[in-house]
Amino acid sequence: MMELDDFKQAWQALDRRLEQQNTLNLQLYRDARLDKARRSLRPLVWGQRLQIMAGVCVMLLFAPFWVEHLDKPHLMLSGLALHIYGLMFVLSAARNLYLVNRIDYANQVLDIQRQLATLQAWRERVEWPVFAVIGCFIWVPLILVIFAWMGADVWVNAPIVVWSWMASAFVCLLILWGVVYWMRRSGRGRVLQRSQAGKSVYRAEGVLEELARFEGG
C-alpha cells in the first residue's frame, strides 16, 4: 500500500509538472505571436513618423507664401490649400500613431483584434478616401504656386489653362471612382482593402487570427 501511495503521489507530481510546462509553453507561444504582431506594425509606425515630418515641412514651405499673397485671393487660397494639406498629413499620421499605441497586447486576443480593426477601419474608410479625392485636385494649386515662385501668374495671364486643369482634376476623380467601383464589382475588393489599410495592418491581423485559431482549437 505504501508503494502504491508513493506511486500515486509521484504520478500526480509528474502530472502537475507537465501541466505547468504546457501552460508555460502556451504562454511563450502567445507572447511570441503577440510580439510578432507588434513588430508587424513597426513599418507603419515609422512611415507615419516620416509623414509627420513631411507634413511639417509642407506647412513651413507654403505658410509664408499664402501670408505674402493676401492681396491676391487665388494665390492666397492656393498656398493655404497646400498648407492645410500638410496639416492633414500631420493630423492623419498622429491619428494612426494614436490607434497603434492604444493597442494593449496584455488583453485577450479578441480585444486586441477589435483595437486593430479600429485602426483598419480608419485607414480604409476615412484616411484613404479623403487623401485619394484630395490628391485628384491638390496638384492644381501646387502648379499655380510653382509658377508664382517663377514669377508667372497663370490665373491672371491664362485663366482658361487653370480651368482646363480643374477639368482634368475632375476627370482624375471620375477615373478613381471607376477603378474603385470596378475592383469591388470584379471581386478584387480584398486587394483594394489591403492597399488602403496597408500591408503592416494586414500582416498583424493575420498573426492575431493564427493565434486566435490556436487558442480556440
Side-chain angles (χ1 to χ4, degrees):
M1 292 296 296
M2 290 297 293
E3 291 180 357
L4 182 59
D5 290 339
D6 292 340
F7 178 76
K8 289 181 177 179
Q9 292 176 1
W11 184 264
Q12 291 172 354
L14 177 61
D15 187 60
R16 286 194 298 270
R17 285 197 295 269
L18 289 175
E19 184 178 353
Q20 292 172 354
Q21 184 64 39
N22 185 54
T23 302
L24 178 60
N25 290 338
L26 290 175
Q27 185 61 43
L28 290 175
Y29 178 81
R30 185 179 192 276
D31 292 343
R33 294 288 89 189
L34 292 178
D35 183 64
K36 183 176 181 180
R38 185 187 295 107
R39 286 186 283 108
S40 297
L41 293 174
R42 287 179 182 174
L44 174 63
V45 171
W46 282 107
Q48 298 310 299
R49 291 173 179 173
L50 292 175
Q51 181 174 313
I52 288 177
M53 290 188 289
V56 171
C57 291
V58 170
M59 293 170 64
L60 293 176
L61 179 64
F62 294 105
F65 179 87
W66 70 264
V67 172
E68 294 171 359
H69 293 83
L70 295 176
D71 57 330
K72 298 179 180 179
H74 59 287
L75 293 180
M76 183 271 290
L77 291 175
S78 295
L80 184 59
L82 293 166
H83 186 172
I84 294 175
Y85 190 60
L87 178 61
M88 291 178 59
F89 262 56
V90 174
L91 295 178
S92 175
R95 171 69 175 172
N96 281 313
L97 292 176
Y98 166 75
L99 292 176
V100 171
N101 291 331
R102 71 189 291 265
I103 298 177
D104 188 356
Y105 294 93
N107 287 335
Q108 297 296 320
V109 176
L110 182 59
D111 294 329
I112 301 174
Q113 288 178 308
R114 288 171 178 167
Q115 292 173 330
L116 186 64
T118 301
L119 171 65
Q120 178 181 339
W122 153 257
R123 291 177 61 80
E124 290 180 2
R125 302 174 187 175
V126 180
E127 183 183 43
W128 190 90
V130 168
F131 276 99
V133 171
I134 294 177
C136 293
F137 295 90
I138 197 65
W139 60 272
V140 175
L142 177 60
I143 293 179
L144 288 174
V145 170
I146 291 175
F147 272 99
W149 278 335
M150 298 171 59
D153 193 333
V154 180
W155 177 258
V156 172
N157 297 313
I160 188 63
V161 174
V162 180
W163 286 114
S164 67
W165 291 345
M166 290 299 299
S168 299
F170 279 101
V171 172
C172 178
L173 180 62
L174 183 61
I175 293 174
L176 173 65
W177 178 85
V179 171
V180 171
Y181 179 79
W182 172 78
M183 292 188 70
R184 290 176 176 173
R185 294 282 293 182
S186 62
R188 293 177 172 83
R190 185 69 173 177
V191 177
L192 178 63
Q193 289 180 331
R194 290 181 68 90
S195 66
Q196 291 172 338
K199 293 181 179 180
S200 296
V201 175
Y202 271 85
R203 192 178 297 116
E205 183 184 65
V207 174
L208 292 175
E209 288 178 353
E210 179 184 341
L211 179 57
R213 288 194 300 268
F214 179 82
E215 291 185 345

